[in-house]
Amino acid sequence: MNSIHATLFDFIHSGHLALLSLSIIAIVWFGRYIYGIARDPLKKVPGPFINRCVNWKLKFATISGRRMYYVHELHERYGPYVRLSPTEVTVSDPEGFIQIHKVSSGFTKANWYNELVNLERSTLFTMVDAKDHGARRRLMARAFSKTYLRQHWEGVVREKVRLCITKLLEESNGVGKANILKWWTLMTTDVATHLMFGESFHMIEQGKKDEYIRILEIALMGGGIGAELPLVRAIGKHLPFEPFKTLFGGNKYIMEKAQTAVNNAYAADGEKNLFAHIIHEAGKGEQLDEIDVKLEAGALIVAGSDTTAVTLTYLVWCVLSSPELSASLCAELKGLPVDYSDRDLEDLPVLSAVIEETLRLYGAAPGGIPRQKPNGPEYLGGYLIPAGTTVTTQAYSLHRNARIFPDPLAFDHTRWLPTEGFTRENLPEPELAKSIFSPFGAGARACLGIHLARTELRLGAAEFFLRCPNAKLAPTTTPQSMEMENHFLIAPKSHKCEIIC
Ligand code: HEM
């Protein structure tokens, strides 16, 4: 008996028991894992087997800025419905896209958006609940309508666009070239801060970004890291070093600075920013309090700056890459009156077609926009998708569908030109093209800032080609330097686009 006790004692103390316990836990965990894979309700959705078990490949593609390419390659290989991870399916089928994004589809934004932004309250961009979102959207839509923006803010946009081109020309004449991505970014950020805060940050004049914008961008980067690598954020936010505090906890400074937006929203002497109009027009039960104003102001500045700047940059690059197209656009613009308005620009066929084609190939947010159905399953493309599964669509793939956009990789603005006697776009399936063309998203969650963005695209492109008709690409600007990297938005890999004008 004593010898049994001694053996048992030795066994426990030699660490064998710990090893045995660990092995049992591992076997149970692995068994459950295999059982889960065998009973996987999404197993019929095609895709690499590994994606049914882990999300490593998707994470790696996301972190390395190649997500949209990885997803597109999967679609080319496996078809319009592909398994992306244990809980995610990607859809490039036009019918599936319409089913997911139509108003009242029952699909809501995935919770990923809140993880991305990591704020104390949801903003319009991150709200998941359809009812909450609907109420906030009705409230904010008033200040973003085309009519209101034209009446009250077109002058501000025009003035900033003009100043931007003046500074761009100064830089090009001074040092022989200018980075147009930098100037568009300063212009769109100045417009967004002026409209949201109620006063100019004068970033175009200074030729650099304000401290508030810098911190906002770092906080956004922290949000991106947190959404993909939650453990890094969980540890990082407790570290006592300044860079980590800014990355994962910069919100305090952002909130203090945004007090200006609140003060101007409630100022008695006229509508100084968009929030003044929103608050003035708010009906019963639809209100924004001071915290909402601060958070929405920051979110709108982020949503409205790099998006438009990147799109304008690719527009200039595409036009300057084709001397013929450049000449035809400049000729069209020469017919404008000296004091042309945004309304005049809307009627120009070449300018409009160039904008649409840029948005098709280089709209700034072509990557996955994830959705979930909280209640009940749904059949998509014949596959049963259980509630809670993330379904993702990406404009990058939809806009490169050869059936809808023949020769899809070519930048061909003529596909958008009106044809004689036929008012619709010059496309084989115009109705389908219209339904899936989604540079600004789709359905109830489509871009709130679409009219502001389109105004900036029109005024920016027109002013640039009118005042820089002989502009050309600098030798440093090549197809390789302009290759897109994709971290939710796209940006040229080189982070610049140098031109000579
Ligand atoms: C060319 C420029 C722009 C592009 C390509 C763009 C693209 C998009 C896309 C694709 C979405 C949908 C995202 C999703 O479903 O996950 C979106 C939503 C949104 N955008 Fe834009 N955007 C642009 C400019 C702007 C501007 C100028 C603003 C405002 C200042 C803005 C504010 C918003 C907001 C608030 C949402 C969320 C709407 C909601 O969920 O109800 N965007 N945008």
Side-chain angles (χ1 to χ4, degrees):
M1 200 59 177
N2 273 349
S3 81
I4 294 175
H5 274 142
T7 316
L8 205 58
F9 186 82
D10 286 350
F11 184 77
I12 292 168
H13 281 268
S14 63
H16 283 102
L17 189 64
L19 202 64
L20 185 69
S21 314
L22 277 178
S23 309
I24 292 171
I25 292 170
I27 290 167
V28 170
W29 180 84
F30 192 65
R32 284 179 56 146
Y33 189 63
I34 297 294
Y35 180 72
I37 292 173
R39 292 203 33 164
D40 178 6
L42 293 168
K43 68 179 167 202
K44 292 205 174 121
V45 181
F49 180 77
I50 183 94
N51 288 5
R52 283 167 60 177
C53 316
V54 284
N55 63 1
W56 298 338
K57 280 188 144 189
L58 182 65
K59 279 267 181 257
F60 181 71
T62 307
I63 292 164
S64 55
R66 298 196 55 81
R67 185 186 159 118
M68 67 187 187
Y69 298 119
Y70 168 67
V71 172
H72 191 65
E73 280 158 21
L74 286 179
H75 279 305
E76 286 186 326
R77 193 153 162 219
Y78 292 97
Y81 293 85
V82 183
R83 187 70 177 269
L84 262 188
S85 80
T87 55
E88 189 165 354
V89 170
T90 169
V91 178
S92 69
D93 171 24
E95 308 303 332
F97 173 83
I98 296 166
Q99 193 178 336
I100 294 164
H101 291 285
K102 70 177 181 228
V103 177
S104 321
S105 68
F107 282 95
T108 62
K109 272 191 172 175
N111 214 18
W112 174 83
Y113 287 86
N114 273 314
E115 285 160 24
L116 180 72
V117 179
N118 193 31
L119 295 169
E120 56 194 90
R121 282 189 203 172
S122 294
T123 61
L124 180 81
F125 187 74
T126 58
M127 280 174 171
V128 170
D129 183 80
K131 230 170 129 208
D132 292 347
H133 171 263
R136 178 65 59 88
R137 179 91 189 201
R138 277 191 298 282
L139 184 59
M140 294 182 57
R142 295 168 182 135
F144 284 87
S145 71
K146 197 183 323 186
T147 320
Y148 174 76
L149 285 171
R150 274 210 176 137
Q151 265 173 11
H152 295 85
W153 297 100
E154 186 181 324
V156 169
V157 179
R158 198 153 0 136
E159 183 199 307
K160 293 195 191 298
V161 166
R162 286 195 175 146
L163 184 61
C164 171
I165 304 299
T166 303
K167 295 298 241 178
L168 171 93
L169 279 162
E170 269 173 33
E171 183 169 291
S172 182
N173 292 333
V175 294
K177 60 184 178 180
N179 174 10
I180 197 161
L181 174 60
K182 175 184 104 177
W183 289 107
W184 287 141
T185 307
L186 293 175
M187 184 277 284
T188 54
T189 316
D190 246 355
V191 167
T193 44
H194 197 146
L195 268 59
M196 306 314 150
F197 271 56
E199 51 198 59
S200 185
F201 278 33
H202 301 294
M203 285 177 273
I204 307 172
E205 288 91 326
Q206 293 169 31
K208 63 178 175 58
K209 287 181 184 170
D210 175 83
E211 182 69 356
Y212 167 77
I213 300 299
R214 213 182 54 78
I215 305 256
L216 204 60
E217 285 176 353
I218 295 175
L220 187 72
M221 195 199 297
I225 297 172
E228 296 306 328
L229 306 166
L231 192 63
V232 174
R233 171 158 62 199
I235 298 170
K237 70 179 177 193
H238 295 295
L239 295 176
F241 310 112
E242 209 42 58
F244 287 97
K245 282 189 188 161
T246 315
L247 198 59
F248 299 116
N251 296 347
K252 192 165 170 272
Y253 173 79
I254 292 170
M255 293 301 271
E256 279 165 15
K257 268 292 266 192
Q259 187 59 40
T260 312
V262 175
N263 297 345
N264 281 329
Y266 292 96
D269 50 342
E271 287 184 0
K272 290 194 169 170
N273 62 11
L274 293 188
F275 293 104
H277 187 66
I278 292 169
I279 289 162
H280 182 69
E281 293 275 296
K284 270 196 191 141
E286 291 178 348
Q287 294 297 336
L288 282 184
D289 69 15
E290 292 196 3
I291 296 177
D292 291 324
V293 170
K294 290 179 185 181
L295 292 174
E296 291 289 7
L300 286 163
I301 289 168
V302 169
S305 308
D306 286 353
T307 43
T308 316
V310 162
T311 310
L312 264 170
T313 302
Y314 275 103
L315 185 151
V316 170
W317 176 61
C318 290
V319 176
L320 292 185
S321 300
S322 159
E324 218 175 89
L325 173 57
S326 187
S328 131
L329 180 58
C330 289
E332 182 181 82
L333 293 168
K334 270 193 193 151
L336 283 168
V338 185
D339 57 344
Y340 69 88
S341 67
D342 186 35
R343 175 71 199 80
D344 296 322
L345 299 178
E346 263 183 333
D347 291 337
L348 301 183
V350 178
L351 177 67
S352 306
V354 162
I355 290 174
E356 294 316 286
E357 188 64 345
T358 307
L359 287 167
R360 183 180 73 83
L361 286 175
Y362 304 106
I369 48 173
R371 298 291 185 264
Q372 278 171 345
K373 197 154 186 215
N375 308 311
E378 173 111 355
Y379 273 99
L380 277 174
Y383 300 105
L384 183 69
I385 309 289
T389 307
T390 302
V391 289
T392 308
T393 56
Q394 61 171 18
Y396 183 84
S397 298
L398 289 153
H399 293 180
R400 283 162 182 75
N401 183 325
R403 181 183 131 204
I404 304 170
F405 302 105
D407 194 7
L409 301 185
F411 185 95
D412 177 10
H413 74 290
T414 64
R415 66 177 98 233
W416 300 99
L417 288 175
T419 47
E420 244 178 278
F422 187 61
T423 50
R424 284 200 187 282
E425 298 90 352
N426 192 6
L427 292 162
E429 296 188 58
E431 283 306 323
L432 195 57
K434 201 171 152 200
S435 307
I436 61 106
F437 184 61
S438 48
F440 293 100
R445 303 309 295 253
C447 180
L448 177 76
I450 184 168
H451 299 302
L452 177 60
R454 283 189 173 280
T455 297
E456 289 181 76
L457 293 176
R458 281 188 292 265
L459 289 171
E463 192 68 13
F464 174 80
F465 286 101
L466 270 170
R467 289 175 60 191
C468 314
N470 301 317
K472 54 184 193 213
L473 299 175
T476 44
T477 303
T478 61
Q480 289 72 35
S481 77
M482 293 299 289
E483 196 188 308
M484 295 177 273
E485 64 174 25
N486 168 224
H487 293 285
F488 191 64
L489 298 184
I490 53 161
K493 213 162 125 187
S494 60
H495 293 266
K496 60 184 181 187
C497 174
E498 290 178 328
I499 57 162
I500 303 165
C501 41

